[in-house]
Amino acid sequence: MVRRQAMGITFRAKLWAPMEGKGWSFVTMPKSASAQLPARGRVAVEGMVNGFEFRSSAFPDGDGSHNIQVNAVMREGAKVSVGDTAQFSLSPSTDAV
C-alpha cells in the first residue's frame, strides 16, 4: 500500500543486499511510490524507516522504480536486517545527502 501524506510517500519494502553481509543494503520502492519521485538521476530523500529518522539517496533502477540505500546505522535504528520488511515514510529532501 502506498499513500501520499503531508509527511511524504509511505510504503513497505523488503531489504536486500547485492553481497550478503558486506556493505550497503537496499530497498526497491514500489513503482506507485517511485512515480512520486523524479525519474532521472539521484534523488536526496529524508524520512523514517520503522520510526527511525534517516537521510539517504534514491536511485532510478531503469525499471520504473527507485532503490534506496540503507546503511548499518539505519538498519540498527529501525531494528531490521536484510530480508526483513520495513515501513518507510519519505519525501524528497531539499538538502544534499
Side-chain angles (χ1 to χ4, degrees):
M1 172 167 48
V2 177
R3 296 182 305 257
R4 178 84 178 177
Q5 299 178 341
M7 294 185 72
I9 304 162
T10 61
F11 61 91
R12 294 179 57 77
K14 186 175 181 178
L15 278 73
W16 59 273
M19 298 184 332
E20 189 70 33
K22 296 182 181 179
W24 290 82
S25 58
F26 299 85
V27 294
T28 301
M29 294 176 65
K31 290 181 181 177
S32 55
S34 287
Q36 299 176 64
L37 294 176
R40 299 185 141 232
R42 181 187 73 82
V43 180
V45 294
E46 59 188 354
M48 299 180 83
V49 54
N50 287 355
F52 179 78
E53 289 187 27
F54 74 92
R55 293 178 57 180
S56 188
S57 296
F59 297 89
D61 68 0
D63 194 31
S65 191
H66 287 76
N67 292 320
I68 298 175
Q69 298 173 325
V70 182
N71 66 22
V73 172
M74 290 168 64
R75 288 191 307 270
E76 290 171 17
K79 298 179 175 55
V80 293
S81 300
V82 171
D84 292 343
T85 298
Q87 177 71 38
F88 287 81
S89 175
L90 60 90
S91 59
S93 174
T94 56
D95 297 327
V97 174

